Amino acid sequence: MGSVDVSDGGISTAIASVRDDGTDDMYAILKYDGKAKLILQKTGSGSMDEMAGELDDGEVQYVLLRVEGGRDQESKAVKFVFITWVGSSVGGMAKGRVASHKMAVKDALGWTVVDIQADDKDDISEEVIREKLKKASGANYDLGSNAGGNYESKAGEIQAAGRNNYKTLEKESNIGPVVFETRALPKETPIDLGGRPMVASATEGKKNTVIRDEVAAAKMKGEE
């Protein structure tokens, strides 16, 4: 089935626009012009529902979607989603081409957090997409605080919950508190493998100590 042509100039322009923080474009939709060439269908600045309305049950289309914010308003990051739309009325040959073309399209669109292939618009609703992004990011900052639409920061509660969880884990661990030794340690002389002391006693130490008479040494040096 071969490769797919994504060289249409409108495609690269649209991708750059969706990824640009300075534009209003929120999505770009690509469609086939023949069996092995993609062209830009449109860009849009509307909602995810508007984007879904542009997808045809009889077509294979590809979407780069920009998602800003989320239910958790503690997070402001922009995320990107790659959607492969295979309409429910698409024939078998066209579906087969998707498998060989999809990766080339993804490479052209660039990095995305989530990839979705769907044939039902319920699978690309805003709620479903945001839930997939939340799971992919491994975070749930709102703890249900913003579900009603009226934002109220829960940063303090999140921090407190983290501290409480840490204390619980600390109590359940098998590591006890540090106890410092307060009694005097016994005097011990280190020994080698043969049982011989490795540190000389004071008496033995004196035998090996040479005390130099500096006056006598000076005289001897003068006589030389």
Side-chain angles (χ1 to χ4, degrees), residues 103-164:
M103 288 309 299
V105 178
K106 179 175 172 61
D107 288 344
L109 296 180
W111 177 82
T112 54
V113 177
V114 170
D115 298 351
I116 303 172
Q117 180 163 328
D119 59 7
D120 187 329
K121 292 183 180 180
D122 287 343
D123 295 334
I124 52 172
S125 67
E126 180 170 355
E127 182 180 2
V128 170
I129 290 174
R130 288 193 182 278
E131 184 64 24
K132 287 181 179 294
L133 285 170
K134 185 169 68 175
K135 289 180 179 179
S137 301
N140 180 9
Y141 298 103
D142 65 353
L143 298 179
S145 63
N146 304 312
N150 296 320
Y151 176 62
E152 179 183 353
S153 177
K154 297 293 183 180
E157 292 183 16
I158 296 168
Q159 189 178 51
R163 283 197 299 265
N164 290 335

Side-chain angles (χ1 to χ4, degrees), residues 14-138:
I15 292 170
S17 182
V18 172
R19 292 185 176 275
D20 188 343
D21 293 339
T23 73
D24 294 327
D25 285 332
M26 298 299 290
Y27 62 85
I29 302 176
L30 314 185
K31 68 176 184 178
Y32 281 93
D33 180 19
K35 296 181 179 180
K37 181 179 180 180
L38 289 172
I39 59 174
L40 176 68
Q41 176 178 324
K42 73 168 295 182
T43 58
S45 58
S47 66
M48 295 186 206
D49 288 339
E50 178 187 285
M51 175 274 297
E54 298 291 337
L55 304 179
D56 192 322
D57 285 341
E59 299 279 351
V60 173
Q61 294 155 288
Y62 303 95
V63 182
L64 175 64
L65 175 66
R66 178 187 181 99
V67 182
E68 297 178 347
R71 289 182 62 213
D72 61 298
Q73 296 181 36
E74 305 289 348
S75 175
K76 303 297 183 183
V78 174
K79 302 177 179 68
F80 294 94
V81 178
F82 171 39
I83 299 173
T84 301
W85 171 256
V86 183
S88 57
S89 300
V90 171
M93 291 294 290
K95 287 181 179 178
R97 284 192 289 270
V98 172
S100 60
H101 293 172
K102 185 176 178 179
M103 288 309 299
V105 178
K106 179 175 172 61
D107 288 344
L109 296 180
W111 177 82
T112 54
V113 177
V114 170
D115 298 351
I116 303 172
Q117 180 163 328
D119 59 7
D120 187 329
K121 292 183 180 180
D122 287 343
D123 295 334
I124 52 172
S125 67
E126 180 170 355
E127 182 180 2
V128 170
I129 290 174
R130 288 193 182 278
E131 184 64 24
K132 287 181 179 294
L133 285 170
K134 185 169 68 175
K135 289 180 179 179
S137 301

